[in-house]
Amino acid sequence: MTARTKLLRTQVAKLEPQAKPFRIYDLEVPALCVEVRPTGRKAYILAYRLPGGRAGRYREMRLGTHPGLVPEKARELALGHLAKLVDGVDPVEALREARKPAVKPLTVVEAVEKYVEALAGRPGQKAPKSALNVYIRPWKHADDPAVEIRPAQVRSLLAQITERHTTKLRAGGHVVSALREAFRYCREHDLIPKGEDPTAGVTIHTGKRVRRIASAEEMAQVVAAVRSEWQAGQLWPPTLGLILLLMATGARPNELRTAKRTDLDRRRGVLVLEKHKTSSTSGAREIALSPAALAILDMIPT
């Protein structure tokens, strides 16, 4: 039969050890008892079952030893732990979680590094890796916890990249995309808690160029500038010829710079380029040459 009495300091102090461990349960908090070991050590223990009646899992929690812990304080601790059962929380598990060392939250740089590492060996790794090393590492919020970053901070970073260099629009887009995918990856793999996407609502600039035909007024301005430089002796004849050919053909500057005389098919009136920007996918490129373009070619010294 289980021994029960109201646990008092004097009573616990007078308990003598026996050949086997024994327990005395408290009348006020039935789940609380003091256990006396053969060595004389006296410990306060909370013994309870999880919800489910007799089918519920039996649990024990050691609260402390006498005389460091007295019955009044032991009751207070026991009632606090038992109150957690009402909310469906196991006191033993709650205590175990509380004793776990605090995990340092993942920073922005660490989150992007995890994502870049996951892309190792894949074609899509280059852009986020470049964004990480060039723009994200120097960012003032790079070492902030990833969960604390807000859309306003990402917009500020994007503005810093693009406000002085319009040519950096695509780079800014790569940075926002790298952050977005890194946060998504880390949330999916439970590296950061679920929460607000800090890149939500941040517009990604692709930096794609808009093609259009220069107006007659713009062409006249180019001609006037070229004429002025030529009259001032600032243009080398081959450079003048290259500029005029660009205007007459609409070819890419590097295509004309690297073209050879052997690429010219005068009979057909075309320039055949075996190597050019898209040669790996589209093959040789032919540039049609007007009579004026052919005349300019003849003016360029070999």
Side-chain angles (χ1 to χ4, degrees), residues 89-243:
V89 177
D90 181 2
V92 170
E93 292 299 328
L95 185 61
R96 188 173 295 157
E97 288 295 322
R99 287 176 176 173
K100 283 184 178 180
V103 179
K104 182 183 176 183
L106 211 63
T107 65
V108 174
V109 164
E110 291 170 340
V112 180
E113 284 176 342
K114 295 284 186 184
Y115 173 60
V116 171
E117 289 172 7
L119 292 177
R122 300 182 186 179
Q125 185 192 32
K126 184 177 180 181
K129 187 175 183 179
S130 176
L132 169 65
N133 293 326
V134 178
Y135 298 106
I136 298 175
R137 289 191 191 280
W139 189 27
K140 65 180 181 181
H141 295 295
D143 294 323
D144 290 356
V147 293
E148 295 181 6
I149 299 300
R150 297 293 177 260
Q153 295 168 320
V154 178
R155 291 192 191 94
S156 177
L157 172 61
L158 182 60
Q160 292 172 18
I161 296 171
T162 61
E163 66 182 358
R164 295 185 180 178
H165 305 282
T166 55
T167 56
K168 299 295 186 182
L169 288 174
R170 181 168 294 182
H174 288 324
V175 170
V176 176
S177 180
L179 289 172
R180 178 172 297 167
E181 293 304 313
F183 291 143
R184 180 192 59 78
Y185 172 83
C186 290
R187 283 194 298 269
E188 289 180 352
H189 291 79
D190 296 324
L191 299 175
I192 59 175
K194 303 293 189 294
E196 177 188 8
D197 179 4
T199 64
V202 179
T203 303
I204 296 180
H205 299 282
T206 62
K208 292 182 179 179
R209 296 169 183 159
V210 178
R211 296 179 179 272
R212 67 176 180 84
I213 299 174
S215 66
E217 181 181 352
E218 290 170 330
M219 292 300 292
Q221 291 174 351
V222 173
V223 171
V226 171
R227 182 185 294 116
S228 175
E229 292 295 308
W230 174 256
Q231 291 173 349
Q234 299 297 316
L235 282 180
W236 190 41
T239 304
L240 174 62
L242 177 61
I243 294 173

